[in-house]
Amino acid sequence: MGDTSRSQTVSTKLQRIAEQAVRYPQMVFTTLMHEIDEDFLWEAHRRTRKDGAPGVDRVTAKEYAEDLEGNLRDLHERLVSGRYVAPPVERVWLEKDDGSQRPIGKPTFEDKIVQRAVVMLLGAIYEQDFQDFSHGFREGHSQHQALHALREQCMSLNIKAIVDADVSGCFDNIGHKRLQDIIRLRVNDGGMLRLIGKWLHAGVMEGGMVSYPDKGTPQGGVVSPMLANIFLHHVLDEWYVRDVTPRMRGRTFLIRFADDFLIGCELENDARRVMEVLPKRLARFGLSIHPQKTAVIAFGKPDVGTKSGAGNGTLDYLGFTHYWARSRRGYWVIKRRTARKRLRRAMKSAWEWCRANRHSALREQYETLCRKLRGYYQYYGIRGNYRALERYLGEVRRAWQFWLDRRSSKKAMPWDRFQRLLEKMPLPQPRIVHSI
């Protein structure tokens, strides 16, 4: 079977499952694992990123592809017979804005293929159930859609207060039994649940030692965001639609990106009521909110005669600070700028990179910095944020010149020489990518 035919066959399967999920919203799917045949695994391999770091087996995507047909055939046999063993996930740590660290997992490449196959099946079902205000790790959704929705709903619904909630370690605190019980409400396929259970209990390898956490979703793989979305869809999204919205006196909205969510309220009293019941709702499912990072923020449109947005709080969400300000025509609008913590972290990262790579070839440094700048503009390049982009570019220039100047006395790079270098190798200028 050709590559195109395989993709079409798998797409037809997924479309059929999705249509069933739409037609029968109360249906419990009990037979799904048989859909994962060799063609399905081939398509899952095609959709799996190939540039990730290898896992505990040290097998790269390139090495796995050297005998792709044989490897997928063997993988399928192990899945069908129940002999597939989910390998431990290697853990590394990344520094967060507040100085703490968050864990990142590195699954094996083969495990990524199996996870992708399961996510394709679960996605065909749950994408029909998920709410439109859930934007995290979903095809057709993005951070910028969440940012656009936040701005539009605050302005159109006359929002006065926002519940800014921070769930403490959501991905690490999801209870395994609770998660599987929630999945059974929609998917009760024994083979699928056993496979998910293997990932939940696969263990984490750190420093050569393997530990087995009793809660939390698998780190680093594509199945983790899907499982977290299923969990929070039940715990938060459905609860908001079913129980919260009918009890509010004013208009409200919920925006969620993974475990980062906001609840906006037209009336401040509604926001206070949500704030009272939200911790109780999360606690029922083993989650808690961070007491210092969760608050009700005044975020209403200033009165007509007001000259400034004083009296309103600012809101940090998805890397941007949101605040009320007057437009050029004098209207009150919500503007966004890069959050200070994010900007400082990006600047610090630029200095660290330039220092660590100062002895690399000049052309290599230039090309990498260009990629970093374009990637930064791609996310933070939204209307009204041009000045922050300029600040970041200026800091990258200073960092590059500073460390080039310290490579050695023979290869010094004083500022005038650096300016001539920039004429030959101009760094990308800031640009607005999103007019949201």
Side-chain angles (χ1 to χ4, degrees), residues 299-347:
F299 202 71
K301 180 179 178 180
D303 295 332
V304 176
T306 307
K307 294 184 178 180
S308 70
N312 258 342
T314 58
L315 176 68
D316 281 2
Y317 189 62
L318 296 181
F320 292 91
T321 297
H322 307 254
Y323 61 100
W324 283 94
R326 288 193 181 275
S327 67
R328 291 181 179 179
R329 296 184 178 182
Y331 300 111
W332 284 110
V333 296
I334 294 175
K335 296 185 177 182
R336 284 76 53 91
R337 60 174 180 263
T338 307
R340 290 179 181 177
K341 287 183 178 179
R342 291 291 186 94
L343 185 57
R344 283 198 302 266
R345 184 174 69 180
M347 290 177 174

Side-chain angles (χ1 to χ4, degrees), residues 395-414:
E395 197 69 14
V396 170
R397 284 173 175 162
R398 282 189 289 274
W400 197 23
Q401 184 273 331
F402 182 91
W403 289 112
L404 286 179
D405 192 41
R406 282 151 182 80
R407 288 199 293 180
S408 69
S409 58
K410 294 181 180 180
K411 297 181 180 179
M413 185 68 68

Side-chain angles (χ1 to χ4, degrees), residues 277-428:
V277 298
L278 181 61
K280 300 174 185 176
R281 173 65 181 180
L282 295 178
R284 282 185 56 191
F285 296 89
L287 299 178
S288 61
I289 59 175
H290 197 295
Q292 279 76 44
K293 296 182 180 180
T294 302
V296 174
I297 299 173
F299 202 71
K301 180 179 178 180
D303 295 332
V304 176
T306 307
K307 294 184 178 180
S308 70
N312 258 342
T314 58
L315 176 68
D316 281 2
Y317 189 62
L318 296 181
F320 292 91
T321 297
H322 307 254
Y323 61 100
W324 283 94
R326 288 193 181 275
S327 67
R328 291 181 179 179
R329 296 184 178 182
Y331 300 111
W332 284 110
V333 296
I334 294 175
K335 296 185 177 182
R336 284 76 53 91
R337 60 174 180 263
T338 307
R340 290 179 181 177
K341 287 183 178 179
R342 291 291 186 94
L343 185 57
R344 283 198 302 266
R345 184 174 69 180
M347 290 177 174
K348 179 183 177 183
S349 177
W351 278 83
E352 291 174 347
W353 186 91
C354 289
R355 178 184 181 182
N357 295 274
R358 64 188 183 276
H359 295 299
S360 300
L362 201 57
R363 172 59 62 175
E364 291 179 11
Q365 293 187 50
Y366 170 71
E367 291 176 353
T368 302
L369 286 174
C370 286
R371 287 195 296 270
K372 289 179 177 290
L373 284 164
R374 292 191 189 102
Y376 190 86
Y377 302 155
Q378 185 66 36
Y379 186 78
Y380 290 102
I382 69 173
R383 188 174 58 190
N385 196 39
Y386 193 86
R387 187 173 297 177
L389 302 183
E390 287 184 316
R391 283 189 62 191
Y392 178 66
L393 173 60
E395 197 69 14
V396 170
R397 284 173 175 162
R398 282 189 289 274
W400 197 23
Q401 184 273 331
F402 182 91
W403 289 112
L404 286 179
D405 192 41
R406 282 151 182 80
R407 288 199 293 180
S408 69
S409 58
K410 294 181 180 180
K411 297 181 180 179
M413 185 68 68
W415 191 255
D416 56 344
R417 185 181 173 189
F418 181 68
Q419 290 292 94
R420 292 194 295 273
L421 172 68
L422 289 180
E423 293 176 3
K424 297 178 182 178
M425 297 181 176
L427 293 172

Side-chain angles (χ1 to χ4, degrees), residues 162-180:
I162 289 180
V163 178
D164 182 8
D166 185 280
V167 182
S168 299
C170 177
F171 283 67
D172 297 328
N173 289 295
I174 293 177
H176 294 168
K177 185 179 184 305
R178 286 191 179 98
L179 173 60
Q180 290 177 302

Side-chain angles (χ1 to χ4, degrees), residues 131-135 145-146 149-150 153-154 157 159 161-165 167 232-242 244-245 248 251-266 274 278 282 317:
Q131 299 290 337
D132 288 339
F133 54 69
S134 169
H135 297 284
Q145 284 184 323
L150 171 60
Q153 294 195 72
C154 280
L157 300 182
I159 295 300
I162 289 180
V163 178
D164 182 8
V167 182
L232 289 173
H233 169 74
H234 177 82
V235 173
L236 183 66
D237 301 355
E238 287 187 328
W239 170 73
Y240 169 79
V241 172
R242 182 186 65 245
V244 175
T245 304
M248 297 292 98
R251 293 174 291 181
T252 70
F253 71 81
L254 169 63
I255 294 175
R256 182 172 68 81
F257 190 91
D259 60 340
D260 199 353
F261 66 92
L262 303 171
I263 299 177
C265 299
E266 185 178 12
V274 171
L278 181 61
L282 295 178
Y317 189 62

Side-chain angles (χ1 to χ4, degrees), residues 45 117 208 227 246 275 286 297 429:
H45 170 270
L227 296 179
M275 191 68 172
I297 299 173
Q429 292 297 307

